[in-house]
Amino acid sequence: MTERFDAIVIGTGQAGPALAVRLGASGRKTAILERKRIGGTCVNVGCIPTKTLIASARAAHVARRGAEYGVVIDGPVRIDMARVKARKDEVVGQSNRGVTNWLNHAPNVTLVEGHGRFESPRTIRVNDRLLEAPEIFINTGGRPTVPDVKGLDGIPFLTSTGMMDIDFLPEHLVVIGGSYIGLEFAQMYRRFGSRVTVIEMAPRLVAREDPEVSDAIKAMLEGEGIAFRLNAQCLAVQKRDAGVAVHVSCEQEPRDIAGSHVLLAVGREPNTHDLGLEAAGVAINARGYIDVDDELRTSVPGIWALGDVNGRGAFTHTAYNDYEIVAANLLDHARRRISDRIPVYALFTDPPLARAGLTEREVRASGKPALVGKMMMTRVGRARERGETQGFMQVLVDAETKKILGAALLGIEADEAIHAIIDVMAAGAPYTVITHAVHIHPTVAELIPTLLGNLQPLQ
Ligand SMILES: Cc1cc2nc3c(=O)[nH]c(=O)nc-3n(C[C@H](O)[C@H](O)[C@H](O)COP(=O)(O)OP(=O)(O)OC[C@H]3O[C@@H](n4cnc5c(N)ncnc54)[C@H](O)[C@@H]3O)c2cc1C
């Protein structure tokens, strides 16, 4: 027998639960489906656990540097990986239970556990149940990409998800992929005490960023003892003794890097392959992402796609913003659009890289006359007081409108300080709003007006 609802949400990631609760509150009888862990990637195997582990790794790092601050620790710093993992599991558990409770107590919301698959544009099969609704919202997220590397089927390997179960210290972690997720794990495990090598096929790390940013991040991580192999073409892996050997080059020596464990961190792909989208007629692009318009509507009326699955963002904040757009347009008769969103994100190395808007390369390519301001973190009082002066801050401004085009802040507390810039960009206000404001001393953000007071033409 078909069970009728007013709305069905597939997936409990960063958009689904908030949307289901709002739909329920609007009086719609709503079903929300989850096949694995409530809360999705961010809560269970993404942002929350990684940032919790990064906090443990930072504690170890600061403890090792204790003597520089006059704090004497007699004896070496030891890491108890079982406790590190238990702490992570506790923090994740709190969030996971929080979302579960929220959904279980939301009016008009029914949580259905199981894998959902379209049988038609209005019906979803979950185990032996058939659910029907005139409005369906897809929030199925993504999963780590397992690349086609020779020998991979013959070795045990880890992905970001598998890393969540580790309660021991890998002797030598070889990270394949020198981008956002790979670098966070690389620094974290180096600080826990592993030897770490990062293998990247491109000529530089986080290749989406400006070369200056990539170089500064590489120098910072090399300073902590992480080894890099860039331009690693001709990848292959094989079992060697108790570990693995990663073949990194067909010409250049050394050709192999031997490690105890391999982490694959080469990107993510959307969970669209097992959703029965063809039965609903929902169009996907060549990379498997669901095609959506500016208001998250798919090619089929009555079906929306939110979060990583639509390829229009790859972050918790973009997934949540998708929810806000859909809810506002559907329930509040607003006209919010994804194209109004400013790209913002952080790489949570320590210190972090925080980004907003365009890179310098993108500004140059746009041909706009632009101004640029840059300041090394060595000039920031807060950084000197904390003994953490790595990095720099750079802001790009439109020379005609005085609006901020983009910013890259690499340094302590950059992930918080960037919001002074993001909010002015979102308001469409000129950078002079920041230079005229009074900021709190001593902070990182207080130096942004000083930086903006010394803008030069971008050559
Ligand atoms: C290691 C790592 C670190 C990260 N760190 C950050 C960070 O610091 N900041 C940040 O902004 N982002 C971070 N991200 C990205 C962030 O986790 C994702 O962008 C975010 O979770 C996307 O949310 P979503 O709503 O698209 O779906 P997801 O959170 O991916 O959830 C989708 C849910 O749908 C379920 N599902 C899938 N198919 C079905 C089906 N057919 N039936 C029923 N259920 C289904 C899945 O089981 C899953 O629970 C990180 C990701 C990783 C992997």
Side-chain angles (χ1 to χ4, degrees):
M1 205 180 68
T2 309
E3 297 174 55
R4 292 185 205 289
F5 290 87
D6 296 313
I8 299 172
V9 178
I10 313 174
T12 63
Q14 291 303 306
L19 182 61
V21 170
R22 275 251 20 220
L23 291 167
S26 76
R28 286 169 169 79
K29 190 182 162 205
T30 303
I32 181 163
L33 281 43
E34 177 53 59
R35 67 179 178 191
K36 261 190 209 151
R37 280 168 283 193
I38 312 285
T41 308
C42 180
V43 164
N44 297 289
V45 293
C47 340
I48 292 180
T50 51
K51 272 75 243 180
T52 308
L53 293 168
I54 284 171
S56 289
R58 177 167 164 81
H61 178 68
V62 173
R64 284 191 197 102
R65 293 186 60 202
E68 292 175 40
Y69 301 87
V71 178
V72 180
I73 300 173
D74 293 318
V77 171
R78 275 192 320 110
I79 314 292
D80 180 343
M81 287 302 288
R83 273 177 58 188
V84 167
K85 177 175 179 293
R87 177 176 180 275
K88 182 268 293 177
D89 289 343
E90 178 49 33
V91 174
V92 167
Q94 283 166 10
S95 298
N96 169 281
R97 288 190 296 274
V99 184
T100 310
N101 258 333
W102 187 36
L103 289 174
N104 278 331
H105 291 99
N108 296 324
V109 174
T110 306
L111 181 56
V112 179
E113 294 195 33
H115 178 97
R117 185 186 292 271
F118 281 93
E119 289 210 340
S120 78
R122 299 286 171 262
T123 51
I124 308 281
R125 161 99 31 215
V126 192
N127 304 321
D128 54 358
R129 297 168 70 175
L130 191 62
L131 316 184
E132 182 181 349
E135 291 174 343
I136 299 181
F137 304 88
I138 304 169
N139 179 222
T140 51
R143 62 189 185 284
T145 298
V146 176
D148 193 13
V149 169
K150 199 171 148 215
L152 209 52
D153 48 358
I155 63 151
F157 61 84
L158 294 155
T159 63
S160 60
T161 304
M163 291 299 285
M164 296 302 137
D165 298 325
I166 288 199
D167 61 358
F168 60 89
L169 192 66
E171 192 274 312
H172 183 180
L173 181 66
V174 179
V175 182
I176 300 183
S179 201
Y180 306 89
I181 290 177
L183 293 183
E184 289 184 13
F185 278 110
Q187 186 182 41
M188 179 199 307
Y189 272 82
R190 180 67 195 135
R191 289 180 169 190
F192 287 147
S194 295
R195 270 201 298 147
V196 175
T197 303
V198 176
I199 293 172
E200 169 56 51
M201 290 176 85
R204 58 189 177 86
L205 301 176
V206 277
R208 169 178 172 174
E209 305 302 335
D210 287 322
E212 209 180 348
V213 171
S214 300
D215 293 349
I217 291 170
K218 180 163 174 277
M220 182 175 103
L221 296 177
E222 276 173 339
E224 293 193 24
I226 297 173
F228 290 97
R229 182 66 181 254
L230 306 180
N231 290 307
Q233 303 294 333
C234 207
L235 271 189
V237 289
Q238 66 183 93
K239 231 178 152 359
R240 177 166 307 166
D241 307 323
V244 285
V246 183
H247 189 64
V248 282
S249 171
C250 294
E251 293 105 35
Q252 213 188 320
E253 296 293 340
R255 295 181 184 197
D256 285 351
I257 290 169
S260 60
H261 296 80
V262 170
L263 163 61
L264 293 178
V266 295
R268 293 177 62 76
E269 52 198 68
N271 288 328
T272 49
H273 59 300
D274 52 3
L275 254 180
L277 289 176
E278 49 306 322
V282 171
I284 57 173
N285 69 21
R287 294 172 57 222
Y289 291 94
I290 297 177
D291 284 330
V292 290
D293 68 10
D294 218 10
E295 296 180 37
L296 288 318
R297 290 179 290 234
T298 69
S299 57
V300 177
I303 304 181
W304 289 254
L306 301 85
D308 287 11
V309 76
N310 64 31
R312 303 291 286 269
F315 303 99
T316 281
H317 46 271
T318 47
Y320 193 79
N321 185 235
D322 284 359
Y323 141 67
E324 293 175 318
I325 292 170
V326 169
N329 295 355
L330 198 64
L331 305 173
D332 306 333
H333 310 292
R335 285 299 307 275
R336 292 183 63 177
R337 293 170 305 198
I338 333 178
S339 53
D340 291 336
R341 181 156 80 201
I342 299 164
V344 296
Y345 54 88
L347 158 65
F348 291 96
T349 46
D350 178 32
L353 166 72
R355 285 264 303 105
L358 303 178
T359 60
E360 183 182 317
R361 195 178 41 188
E362 288 165 341
V363 171
R364 284 182 196 285
S366 75
K368 286 186 210 279
L371 305 172
V372 61
K374 186 175 169 184
M375 179 181 286
M376 301 308 287
M377 290 301 289
T378 44
R379 284 194 55 204
V380 178
R382 163 62 67 88
R384 287 204 304 271
E385 291 146 15
R386 288 255 303 259
E388 299 180 49
T389 52
Q390 292 153 310
F392 63 87
M393 302 193 280
Q394 186 195 52
V395 183
L396 294 139
V397 170
D398 187 312
E400 283 159 5
T401 64
K402 308 278 182 262
K403 288 187 184 171
I404 297 174
L405 296 171
L409 311 188
L410 174 65
I412 59 157
E413 280 149 36
D415 48 342
E416 296 292 346
I418 192 91
H419 290 91
I421 291 171
I422 293 174
D423 290 344
V424 169
M425 289 175 81
Y431 76 88
T432 45
V433 168
I434 300 182
T435 52
H436 293 173
V438 176
H439 290 77
I440 295 170
H441 173 76
T443 58
V444 174
E446 71 169 334
L447 268 299
I448 295 174
T450 314
L451 177 159
L452 289 168
N454 290 301
L455 293 173
Q456 305 295 326
L458 182 67
Q459 299 301 334

